[in-house]
Amino acid sequence: LALMTDWHDWQDTRVDGERLWNRIVALGEIGAIAGPNGELGCARLALTDADREGRDLVTGWMRDLGLTVTIDAIGNVVATRPGTDPRAAAVMTGSHIDTVATGGRFDGNLGVLAGLEVIETLETLDIATRRPVSVAFFTDEEGARFAPDMLGSLVYVGGMALEEALDIAATDDDARLGDELVRIGYAGPFPCPAAAAPHAYVELHIEQGPILEDEGVTIGVVEGVQGISWTELAITGRSAHAGTTPMRLRRDPGFVAAAITTFVRGLTKQLAGAQVATVGRIDVRPNLVNVVPATATITVDLRNTDEATLVVAERALDAEVARLAEAESVSVTSRSLARFEPVEFDPVTVALVEATAQRLGYSTRRLPSGAGHDAQMLARVCPTAMIFTPSVDGLSHNIAEHTTPEDVTAGANVLLQTLLQLADVAD
Ligand code: GLV
Ligand code: MN
Ligand code: MN
């Protein structure tokens, strides 16, 4: 490799925004779904055939670049470009390529493909780094098919035993995670948790909320991730005739599900500030117009940047569920699907992202992440930070999710320059 010895040379390098955009479009064609106004979204739930196709495409690109590709026992894929120092730990970037069932083309995919673009830029310009540079995509970040979310990165850092993860049952079908991994050919030979932690991890992601767009800011400097609490409530009552059963005799799980939904909305007002609450799934059986439901299964997603307040919200929910169960004579089984405390990223790496974005001439704003990310797991084992780009209309987990090509390129350039500094340009 021709080493770039002039400090300013590497500072002037930029990604090829068009090449990155074309890859986002190409990956988005796998599992593509169209919206009513021609929007193009994506349905690649974790470990489905569509996920396999997406994985095959991206690992193919990784191999085309001559990278060393490893697949671990939970299906995480890491592609590495060597550095000049054989003993140095790699600087890692990455994200996920699974989507929710009604997802967009950018959530997760941007971070993986921008990482690939950074590496292709280094290859094309013959820039050597002292440390290896890796780009990863982690299994089942969304948690939409197999809870919890950030599963692959959680196992990668040793936060959940591999065997426990492989045994997780799907929320909506009768698949087992480990079987699906084998079925799609991504139960890899490499150990998980990983043998060694990266030197640092920096992830580029779309904001998925309205703040950057509202304020006209190009680069979000992410200081941390809010706490996440997912609970599944299985409510059992008594199925009965809708016309003949007096209200006093009803044991109606549908009513209780609705009351919980209303309650958590009220809770967000009561805990005014950062508290958010969502009932995203309501599954009522038998789901018929003239039958009082026999069961209702719902999920409650509570999040807060403040752990103490999140605990208050969880306790309030528990108390209200118990009160409703008694009042309506239904039984409720509660199961935690995910629980992650708020995470603070490494202040030095956060400051590096901020300074780098500003040096490149972009407006910046510090903010917490409202969504969960693989970065919050990597933060357990190495200095970690994230870069956000704006989301049009603040939309995500929606097929209309969009980020402009200019913002995609800006984010990838901040990623490139940040990784170059962390990986030490060789001289
Ligand atoms: C998952 O990534 C989430 O934030 O829901
Ligand atoms: Mn994501
Ligand atoms: Mn997502």
Side-chain angles (χ1 to χ4, degrees):
L1 289 176
L3 302 184
M4 300 193 80
T5 49
D6 185 330
W7 190 70
H8 291 286
D9 282 350
W10 69 261
Q11 285 210 351
D12 291 341
T13 62
R14 299 292 182 268
V15 300
D16 182 335
E18 197 174 313
R19 187 167 58 197
L20 170 55
W21 187 263
N22 289 340
R23 282 206 177 111
I24 292 171
V25 171
L27 181 53
E29 280 165 12
I30 300 174
I33 45 176
N37 303 311
E39 309 94 334
L40 271 185
C42 232
R44 287 199 311 272
L45 283 168
L47 311 185
T48 56
D49 289 343
D51 187 19
R52 167 178 37 201
E53 267 187 71
R55 286 165 170 265
D56 290 351
L57 181 65
V58 175
T59 51
W61 285 332
M62 289 166 162
R63 293 199 171 99
D64 289 348
L65 280 173
L67 307 179
T68 308
V69 177
T70 66
I71 305 174
D72 72 22
I74 199 75
N76 298 321
V77 174
V78 181
T80 303
R81 179 178 191 255
T84 57
D85 178 351
R87 294 173 320 270
V91 170
M92 184 183 272
T93 186
S95 194
H96 62 98
I97 62 168
D98 68 314
T99 75
V100 296
T102 54
R105 296 179 295 172
F106 299 88
D107 179 356
N109 301 294
L110 169 63
V112 176
L113 299 180
L116 201 61
E117 174 55 36
V118 165
I119 290 179
E120 182 151 9
T121 300
L122 302 187
E123 277 299 302
T124 308
L125 300 178
D126 265 358
I127 298 176
T129 54
R130 186 173 72 77
R131 296 182 177 282
V133 178
S134 299
V135 55
F137 60 84
F138 296 98
T139 294
D140 185 36
E141 190 276 345
E142 292 292 3
R145 184 167 180 227
F146 297 98
D149 49 352
M150 287 81 71
L151 183 87
S153 47
L154 179 66
V155 179
Y156 188 82
V157 302
M160 180 189 278
L162 174 66
E163 295 67 32
E164 185 186 347
L166 293 175
D167 210 35
I168 293 172
T171 317
D172 246 354
D173 52 68
D174 49 19
R176 181 183 159 272
L177 190 144
D179 298 337
E180 287 292 85
L181 205 52
V182 171
R183 189 185 67 79
I184 69 162
Y186 277 85
F190 280 80
C192 192
H199 170 69
Y201 180 84
V202 178
E203 178 172 344
L204 171 65
H205 204 285
I206 55 168
E207 181 203 338
Q208 312 183 265
I211 298 171
L212 296 177
E213 184 184 68
D214 279 358
E215 298 184 5
V217 170
T218 304
I219 296 294
V221 178
V222 187
E223 294 188 287
V225 180
Q226 68 178 341
I228 301 175
S229 170
W230 285 359
T231 307
E232 181 187 79
L233 298 168
I235 310 159
T236 305
R238 186 177 57 191
S239 182
H241 194 291
T244 60
T245 312
M247 298 315 287
R248 68 185 162 81
L249 290 183
R250 295 195 182 208
R251 299 167 51 199
D252 183 351
F255 167 72
V256 173
I260 293 168
T261 308
T262 309
F263 174 78
V264 296
R265 171 62 71 95
L267 194 58
T268 63
K269 295 204 178 96
Q270 204 182 310
L271 302 174
Q275 184 65 47
V276 291
T278 306
V279 173
R281 187 162 173 253
I282 303 182
D283 181 8
V284 177
R285 307 284 167 102
N287 204 26
L288 297 169
V289 63
N290 55 356
V291 181
V292 176
T295 64
T297 303
I298 68 171
T299 55
V300 184
D301 175 320
L302 300 173
R303 305 195 197 198
N304 203 307
T305 47
D306 179 60
E307 173 65 17
T309 312
L310 185 55
V311 170
V312 168
E314 287 175 310
R315 292 200 180 134
L317 172 64
D318 286 349
E320 178 65 5
V321 167
R323 194 190 68 73
L324 284 163
E326 169 141 13
E328 187 74 7
S329 297
V330 297
S331 66
V332 182
T333 311
S334 171
R335 184 166 76 98
S336 174
L337 297 180
R339 181 63 166 93
F340 301 115
E341 289 185 11
V343 172
E344 274 180 43
F345 289 141
D346 174 55
V348 174
T349 314
V350 171
L352 177 68
V353 166
E354 186 172 53
T356 302
Q358 288 172 357
R359 174 167 60 73
L360 292 179
Y362 299 123
S363 50
T364 64
R365 181 209 206 275
R366 290 187 172 226
L367 77 176
S369 172
H373 296 292
D374 296 306
Q376 77 191 84
M377 298 307 165
L378 271 294
R380 296 184 186 191
V381 296
C382 66
T384 294
M386 287 188 80
I387 304 160
F388 274 179
T389 54
S391 292
V392 173
D393 292 332
L395 274 181
S396 185
H397 286 186
N398 182 316
I399 52 183
E401 172 187 284
H402 190 70
T403 294
T404 66
E406 295 71 35
D407 287 341
V408 162
T409 302
N413 277 321
V414 176
L415 182 67
L416 167 70
Q417 290 292 318
T418 304
L419 294 180
L420 275 173
Q421 292 166 88
L422 289 167
D424 295 340
V425 175
D427 54 22

